[in-house]
Amino acid sequence: MYFFLLSIHNSVDLFLVIIYIFSLNCRVVPGSLKQIDVGERTACFGVELQAMEIFTLYSGAWTRISGSLKHVSVGPAGVWGVNANNYIYRLDNGDWVPVNGQLKQVDAGGTVSPAGVNMFDDIFCLQGGEGASWTNLPGKLKYYSCGLNSCWGVNSGNLIYIMKGVTSNTCAGSLKWEQVSGYLSMIEVSTDGKVYGVNSNGDMYESYSPPIPAGWRQVQFGQKVKHVSYDLGHLWVIGTDNSIMDCTE
């Protein structure tokens, strides 16, 4: 691992930004996916590009699950997904059960509550059990991901925000967004508090929840990336060519 100092000038101030850069040990995983998510107990799910077929990693091999989704998420809240028409589903005993509402992206990383954003970038979380209604949070985000104590998101301008105070009883958190330095096009929070994201250039970055004072660590990688997910010491990476890699530090 190494780091460098970057000086940024504007008409008023001089900013000093510390960017840590570190490399990974990666192995290529057979297959092709457009999106992947890993959660507690090493569960791993993904969606392929063309037919949006759903796969899970079982005993080292990809196993196809019935159905078609454009985004899938696994975590303490279970396994959730949304299809091409933005309809929401939850995996229950091997069957996809429809859930009221529409989202373009869903996240199951919260303690018991899924969350996500709809086609208008409105933000929602689901508090309670069967029959509960989605809670609308203030603001607009295009991607939203939750850990055990906070949720992170990026908006249409790639600005990064964190919502603190998220608990099993309060999925909406403090309702006060705090902006985090940097720009990302997607972001994922793990169950242990690590945060990974990808910017519009396909570069990867890592931080922690709450954000580390020094900012983001850039992840040195040999190719451009479009999606990442992390849990239990493994960083899963989807390249812009839909290749799959399993990486460790």
Side-chain angles (χ1 to χ4, degrees):
M1 181 183 73
Y2 61 94
F3 68 91
F4 64 90
L5 302 180
L6 175 65
S7 297
I8 302 176
H9 296 264
N10 64 17
S11 59
V12 179
D13 299 300
L14 169 66
F15 296 95
L16 192 63
V17 179
I18 303 176
I19 301 178
Y20 294 82
I21 301 180
F22 69 102
S23 58
L24 297 167
N25 297 313
C26 299
R27 67 179 182 93
V28 176
V29 178
S32 176
L33 296 174
K34 71 165 188 171
Q35 182 257 327
I36 196 168
D37 198 54
V38 292
E40 60 179 8
R41 300 184 298 276
T42 68
C44 180
F45 286 78
V47 175
E48 63 89 39
L49 180 64
Q50 299 300 327
M52 292 185 284
E53 294 177 334
I54 313 154
F55 292 88
T56 185
L57 195 61
Y58 183 75
S59 298
W62 293 109
T63 300
R64 185 172 180 268
I65 301 174
S66 62
S68 175
L69 297 173
K70 67 176 180 180
H71 189 98
V72 66
S73 182
V74 56
V79 182
W80 291 69
V82 293
N83 69 8
N85 295 316
N86 301 312
Y87 291 116
I88 309 165
Y89 294 88
R90 173 177 53 85
L91 190 62
D92 186 4
N93 293 321
D95 295 321
W96 291 105
V97 178
V99 178
N100 290 334
Q102 285 183 287
L103 296 173
K104 67 177 180 180
Q105 177 256 328
V106 67
D107 187 84
T111 51
V112 294
S113 304
V117 295
N118 69 7
M119 43 284 202
F120 306 109
D121 288 356
D122 298 318
I123 314 155
F124 295 89
C125 65
L126 187 62
Q127 188 75 57
E130 184 115 6
S133 299
W134 292 92
T135 300
N136 187 195
L137 280 65
K140 296 277 187 177
L141 294 174
K142 66 177 180 179
Y143 201 102
Y144 194 48
S145 180
C146 293
L148 295 180
N149 301 304
S150 64
C151 297
W152 294 58
V154 293
N155 68 8
S156 59
N158 294 326
L159 297 175
I160 309 164
Y161 293 89
I162 182 173
M163 178 71 75
K164 297 178 181 178
V166 178
T167 69
S168 58
N169 297 319
T170 312
C171 70
S174 66
L175 296 178
K176 296 179 181 179
W177 292 107
E178 298 179 25
Q179 187 174 348
V180 179
S181 63
Y183 296 87
L184 294 173
S185 56
M186 67 81 57
I187 196 166
E188 283 286 342
V189 187
S190 70
T191 54
D192 67 359
K194 281 192 175 183
V195 183
Y196 283 88
V198 179
N199 68 10
S200 58
N201 294 322
D203 303 317
M204 279 193 295
Y205 292 86
E206 179 200 44
S207 186
Y208 289 87
S209 182
I212 57 176
W216 294 92
R217 296 200 309 171
Q218 184 174 351
V219 184
Q220 188 178 24
F221 207 66
Q223 69 180 80
K224 294 300 182 180
V225 172
K226 68 178 182 180
H227 199 92
V228 294
S229 185
Y230 175 89
D231 201 55
L232 296 177
H234 288 258
L235 177 65
W236 289 80
V237 180
I238 303 297
T240 53
D241 60 354
N242 300 311
S243 59
I244 311 164
M245 282 148 286
D246 175 17
C247 304
T248 57
E249 292 187 33

